[in-house]
Amino acid sequence: MSIAETHVEHVDVPGPVLSEEKRRQAEQICAKYPTRRSALLPLLYLVQSEVGWVPRQGMREVAEILGLTTAEVEAVATFYTMLKLHPCGRYVLSICTNPSCALLGGRRLLEHAREALGEGSEKATADGLFTVEEEECLAACDKAPVLTVNYVYYDRVTEERLDEMIAAIRAGQVPEASRGGVPGDLKETSQLLAGLETLRQERGREKGFDG
């Protein structure tokens, strides 16, 4: 779990967050569950796939769709740290600082990322590309130090390797992860977590392969 703050930001976005098409997708998601409220988490990811984070307006719309109170939705949104409650960069770098990673350079890696990406990078960098966050544990101690990019794992990352990854992402060439392939941006990842195909998958299917 992330050590980052989990409070709801005072900033919001004007509604509606979910278009008519996204509302239809929300109903498709709800239809997968025996009770509508079970679709709460996927619908929050659906909001995040639209906005890049989960604003209060999105929570209100999810509450309306599911027949819940906004407080009930907020209780879930503030529990799961993969739901971002503030504007984020397109690529979230989550760096583990638990003992195994810390002993092998994880904490230095976190400080290096903050220095490399500059002030404010724990919210979003000025170019809108990156957010850096400290992770309590990524459960891959034998691969330490570990970081994820939009929740896809990169093993034994050095400071030099991190610099290369940042440069590659800035150049539009996201490096392949140690496992899990090449991560999409946060909106695309959130679309997957909502249980929907991404544009990348749709294009791959049209060409006759998955990916």
Side-chain angles (χ1 to χ4, degrees), residues 135-158:
E135 279 290 338
E136 177 64 22
C137 183
L138 288 172
C141 300
D142 59 324
K143 311 292 186 184
V146 175
L147 66 80
T148 65
V149 177
N150 292 343
Y151 318 115
V152 180
Y153 280 70
Y154 293 77
D155 302 334
R156 301 186 178 94
V157 179
T158 63

Side-chain angles (χ1 to χ4, degrees), residues 36 62-69 72:
R36 287 180 70 84
V62 169
E64 174 195 342
I65 291 168
L66 296 179
L68 302 174
T69 65
E72 288 174 304

Side-chain angles (χ1 to χ4, degrees), residues 120-198:
S121 58
E122 290 189 339
K123 293 293 185 180
T125 53
D127 59 9
L129 269 180
F130 297 101
T131 293
V132 177
E133 63 181 17
E134 181 178 3
E135 279 290 338
E136 177 64 22
C137 183
L138 288 172
C141 300
D142 59 324
K143 311 292 186 184
V146 175
L147 66 80
T148 65
V149 177
N150 292 343
Y151 318 115
V152 180
Y153 280 70
Y154 293 77
D155 302 334
R156 301 186 178 94
V157 179
T158 63
E159 293 173 37
E160 293 76 14
R161 175 58 176 151
L162 177 59
D163 288 339
E164 292 171 358
M165 291 171 62
I166 290 171
I169 292 171
R170 281 182 168 149
Q173 299 174 338
V174 182
E176 186 170 356
S178 302
R179 49 195 180 279
V182 177
D185 67 17
L186 185 59
K187 287 185 178 181
E188 185 175 39
T189 300
S190 298
Q191 193 174 351
L192 279 172
L193 293 169
L196 300 172
E197 283 191 333
T198 65

Side-chain angles (χ1 to χ4, degrees), residues 54-136:
V54 182
R56 288 191 61 85
Q57 175 61 29
M59 295 186 203
R60 287 190 287 269
E61 292 178 30
V62 169
E64 174 195 342
I65 291 168
L66 296 179
L68 302 174
T69 65
T70 304
E72 288 174 304
V73 174
E74 185 177 318
V76 172
T78 55
F79 182 81
Y80 290 99
T81 58
M82 287 169 68
L83 294 167
K84 302 307 175 190
L85 305 180
H86 57 79
C88 279
R90 292 173 57 203
Y91 295 93
V92 178
L93 308 183
S94 307
I95 301 175
C96 182
T97 58
N98 242 37
S100 294
C101 283
L103 288 169
L104 291 172
R107 187 159 295 281
R108 289 196 308 275
L109 195 64
L110 175 65
E111 293 306 318
H112 183 76
R114 288 170 173 164
E115 291 173 8
L117 294 172
E119 186 177 354
S121 58
E122 290 189 339
K123 293 293 185 180
T125 53
D127 59 9
L129 269 180
F130 297 101
T131 293
V132 177
E133 63 181 17
E134 181 178 3
E135 279 290 338
E136 177 64 22

